[in-house]
Amino acid sequence: MDDKATIPRITELPPTLASQIAAGEVIERPAAVVKELLDNSIDAGADEVTVTVMEGGHKLIAVSDNGHGIHPDDMELALRRHSTSKLNTQSDLDCITSLGFRGEALASIAAVSSFLLVSSSAATATAWSLSFDPVSGHAALKPAARARGTTVEAADIFQATPARRKFMRSQSTEFLHISEVVKRVACSRFNIGFRLAHNGKAVLRYRACADNMEERVEEVFGRRFATQSIPVSYTSRGMKLWGWLGAGELSRSQSDRQFCFVNGRAVRDRKILHAVRSAYADTLPAGRYPTCLLHLDLDPAVTDINVHPTKSEIRFRDSRVVHDFIHISLRDALKAVAALGLHEEGEAGTENRLHSYAQRQVYQPPLQVREASLFYQNLTPGGPQEDLLAKAAGLGIPRLALTPGLAVAQRNEDLVLLNCHALSAYVLRYRLRQDYLHESVPRRPLLVPVHIDVGRRRVDMAEQYAELLDTVGLSLRVVAEHLVSVREIPVLLEAVDVKSMVSAVLDALPAQPASGDPAEQLLAIMAGSLEDSVERPTNAMLEGLLADLDKTDIDTTQKHHQGLWRTVSPDKLITLINE
């Protein structure tokens, strides 16, 4: 027999079969249909969305909204693969702000169900409906009646792909997944009302509550989480992390109550989840998972969501910076709550103190000046406060954070105005210098080397001073004419912006070797590069900072120290802040 006759020939898949195969990447189960349709409703500007399900999604899934609708001339096109109104150019793909963009959702849903699309837009006075049969591929467009918005119905899901249908679970299991999708999406958009009905019975109803987000948090997570969770709000380097964090007693045996969103998109990102888990490393036993509802907002241009058909994964331009920002923010929030003893009372007392904490640490604008003297004037002579002050060492005990870089401590009868940025840099420089002098700088290898375009001069400096840089904990390698690769950094600088720090260090190196040890200047620059990452300090953070300061060689008995602290009276403090 001729072997050539047995070689299979390459042919193009029939359109219907190709669509059904592609649908398998997007439509895993009925809940995936709901998720894709909810994304479309949000992108359409809807503020009310209703999800109707029959028999756990086996029989029917319908999503209706009051968004801007679809132009009737575009309805048939909307069912073709890679058709979208959300992207037009490559630059759009580089900065995606919509939830949907692939142009596969409606085409995939229509390929595996009896499909009906009804929409009304401002373009016409009449609504139009489009029905589609996945077996025959026949589509029928005709006038219909409905108010502004869109309704999508998918009946008998996977009817055209029996092999997929047999993998569907029971009605109750599939509906449980659907309800979880609705809850997650509802926590991504507080300004939209959501309703969910199953077999003709209302199951969930969330009214729009942008002005009172805690209302939805309570509806989704329960009363206990709403009253005992920790409100968080941190901003750094163009990123904002906000939401609610469950303390240790709100942990669960599974990770089903970890809601994470990036620019309003629900994601299951391993780096984000690792950052959350690691923040609880010292507070949760093995086998327990933290609860949280967290939003991360940042420039869409530094993210890539085009990495998975379901759009549930995300890639960051600098994932380490994002990971560390989340980890440090949540760790500090948990430490601050522990330091305040927020969970030592009953539920009512805890709720009141948490509310007080939230107002003071998260949402309150910068402290009014009059409060700086008010707390001082109200101290009770001879009481516990005086005993505590008598035992305080160094610069005293922390009292109030005025701004991210300014705080007040109390030492005996004096107030001490603290420059938190400068103090942090001083402590860090001292610790880096001690490690350097003992020739034992602990290093942290970067799992993914950081490549920096530093220019020709800086590359020359990196080569000329390679040995010196290595002694201060910076392992650099020149990989191109203008490019260096950072392989290791000091452990003490793991939260630093590596690119900015290395650029500043290379800029400071003299063209010709100078007398003295240039490492001293480099250490100062490296320590100073961490200043901008200091957030508004909590009392726990200030206590740690002052304790670290006591371990340096600085004389904290001085009344003043240029640039680090200044002892003042309450009246003088008010004058200084007002200047």
Side-chain angles (χ1 to χ4, degrees):
M1 179 193 282
D2 188 355
D3 290 339
K4 293 183 179 179
T6 65
I7 297 176
R9 301 298 301 276
I10 297 175
T11 61
E12 187 176 1
L13 287 171
T16 300
L17 181 57
S19 295
Q20 291 172 349
I21 293 173
E25 297 181 341
V26 179
I27 309 303
E28 302 169 348
R29 64 194 323 156
V33 174
V34 174
K35 172 62 168 59
E36 295 292 342
L37 296 181
L38 287 175
D39 283 353
N40 283 348
S41 293
I42 293 172
D43 285 341
D47 58 23
E48 288 290 338
V49 184
T50 298
V51 180
T52 302
V53 178
M54 300 292 292
E55 298 179 7
H58 289 69
K59 184 177 181 180
L60 175 71
I61 297 172
V63 176
S64 299
D65 66 54
N66 64 348
H68 54 59
I70 303 174
H71 193 287
D73 294 345
D74 294 341
M75 292 181 71
E76 289 191 50
L77 181 61
L79 299 193
R80 299 180 192 173
R81 293 186 62 203
H82 311 306
S83 298
T84 179
S85 63
K86 300 158 188 176
L87 294 180
N88 292 300
T89 65
Q90 174 67 42
S91 60
D92 294 333
L93 183 61
D94 294 338
C95 188
I96 296 173
T97 57
S98 58
L99 294 178
F101 62 92
R102 288 173 171 267
E104 296 179 0
L106 293 183
S108 297
I109 296 169
V112 296
S113 67
S114 293
F115 183 86
L116 177 66
L117 171 64
V118 183
S119 189
S120 174
S121 70
T124 61
T126 305
W128 290 81
S129 71
L130 177 68
S131 59
F132 180 79
D133 181 3
V135 178
S136 66
H138 176 69
L141 181 67
K142 60 183 180 181
R146 71 149 289 161
R148 178 73 54 83
T150 301
T151 297
V152 178
E153 294 184 1
D156 301 319
I157 188 172
F158 297 137
Q159 63 163 349
T161 53
R164 293 292 305 278
R165 189 177 182 90
K166 69 182 181 181
F167 284 98
M168 290 177 66
R169 302 302 182 187
S170 66
Q171 296 181 20
S172 59
T173 298
E174 295 296 352
F175 180 71
L176 178 63
H177 285 282
I178 290 173
S179 63
E180 283 298 302
V181 165
V182 174
K183 289 177 181 179
R184 284 184 183 269
V185 174
C187 288
S188 74
R189 294 294 191 282
F190 296 91
N191 61 324
I192 301 177
F194 295 89
R195 286 181 290 180
L196 172 63
H198 187 216
N199 295 336
K201 180 182 179 181
V203 178
L204 298 174
R205 180 163 188 170
Y206 305 136
R207 70 180 187 89
C209 58
D211 295 331
N212 183 20
M213 293 184 290
E214 287 79 5
E215 175 184 320
R216 185 161 298 175
V217 173
E218 180 176 339
E219 291 175 326
V220 175
F221 278 71
R223 171 72 175 168
R224 186 171 178 233
F225 181 88
T227 58
Q228 298 185 28
S229 59
I230 306 163
V232 296
S233 180
Y234 291 87
T235 302
S236 180
R237 300 180 189 175
M239 298 179 289
K240 180 176 181 179
L241 181 69
W242 62 276
W244 295 264
L245 195 63
E249 59 268 31
L250 296 173
S251 65
R252 297 169 66 88
S253 59
Q254 53 188 353
S255 60
D256 60 329
R257 283 297 174 265
Q258 294 179 353
F259 286 17
C260 298
F261 306 90
V262 176
N263 292 338
R265 179 188 303 277
V267 297
R268 296 288 297 178
D269 181 80
R270 277 182 278 181
K271 293 182 179 64
I272 293 177
L273 294 177
H274 179 270
V276 173
R277 288 195 304 271
S278 61
Y280 284 85
D282 298 329
T283 60
L284 286 184
R288 301 296 296 180
Y289 295 86
T291 54
C292 62
L293 195 173
L294 297 172
H295 282 258
L296 176 65
D297 298 331
L298 71 170
D299 184 354
V302 301
T303 68
D304 182 6
I305 60 173
N306 189 27
V307 295
H308 192 275
T310 64
K311 308 183 295 293
S312 61
E313 299 179 9
I314 192 166
R315 183 182 294 125
F316 299 99
R317 181 177 297 174
D318 196 334
S319 58
R320 186 186 65 82
V321 169
V322 174
H323 175 280
D324 291 350
F325 168 61
I326 296 173
H327 167 76
I328 293 171
S329 298
L330 300 187
R331 182 198 62 191
D332 289 349
L334 291 170
K335 285 184 176 179
V337 172
L340 291 171
L342 295 177
H343 298 282
E344 298 176 356
E345 304 174 4
E347 181 173 331
T350 300
E351 179 179 353
N352 291 336
R353 296 185 70 182
L354 274 173
H355 176 73
S356 173
Y357 165 79
Q359 294 299 313
R360 181 169 63 255
Q361 298 290 345
V362 182
Y363 299 115
Q364 190 175 12
L367 182 71
Q368 297 299 314
V369 174
R370 60 182 179 80
E371 298 182 50
S373 60
L374 185 61
F375 84 91
Y376 181 81
Q377 294 167 3
N378 290 340
L379 290 178
T380 304
Q385 294 281 4
E386 188 171 313
D387 294 338
L388 183 61
L389 290 172
K391 300 175 183 177
L395 297 180
I397 58 176
R399 287 303 193 190
L400 296 169
L402 301 175
T403 69
L406 196 64
V408 179
Q410 184 177 359
R411 177 166 59 180
N412 299 321
E413 297 180 357
D414 294 321
L415 297 181
V416 183
L417 191 61
L418 307 173
N419 184 335
C420 301
H421 289 169
L423 286 172
S424 297
Y426 184 94
V427 170
L428 184 56
R429 180 183 178 182
Y430 177 85
R431 294 172 67 181
L432 286 170
R433 185 172 183 272
Q434 291 300 110
D435 290 339
Y436 166 72
L437 292 175
H438 291 87
E439 299 182 352
S440 60
V441 180
R443 305 161 183 260
R444 187 179 83 101
L446 302 180
L447 295 178
V448 178
V450 177
H451 298 290
I452 311 174
D453 187 346
V454 296
R456 180 64 187 175
R457 179 193 174 278
R458 289 172 175 170
V459 164
D460 292 340
M461 292 297 98
E463 290 180 327
Q464 181 179 347
Y465 289 96
E467 184 176 348
L468 171 64
L469 294 172
D470 188 72
T471 62
V472 296
L474 289 178
S475 175
L476 307 183
R477 179 181 300 174
V478 176
V479 295
E481 183 178 358
H482 298 279
L483 200 67
V484 297
S485 174
V486 185
R487 305 303 178 94
E488 291 181 326
I489 62 174
V491 170
L492 292 173
L493 297 175
E494 59 182 358
V496 79
D497 184 322
V498 175
K499 293 183 178 180
S500 298
M501 177 190 68
V502 170
S503 297
V505 166
L506 294 179
D507 276 340
L509 292 171
Q512 298 296 329
S515 58
D517 188 355
E520 291 288 345
Q521 182 184 4
L522 299 188
L523 293 173
I525 292 173
M526 292 162 66
S529 64
L530 200 63
E531 287 188 28
D532 291 340
S533 66
V534 178
E535 302 290 343
R536 177 187 288 263
T538 63
N539 275 7
M541 295 165 62
L542 287 171
E543 287 175 357
L545 175 60
L546 296 182
D548 289 340
L549 188 67
D550 286 337
K551 298 173 184 176
T552 69
D553 57 359
I554 200 167
D555 182 7
T556 56
T557 63
Q558 300 178 51
K559 286 284 188 178
H560 309 292
H561 195 291
Q562 183 65 34
L564 295 181
W565 72 82
R566 183 172 182 178
T567 302
V568 295
S569 67
D571 292 337
K572 182 60 176 177
L573 176 62
I574 294 174
T575 302
L576 288 173
I577 297 176
N578 280 331
E579 290 178 349

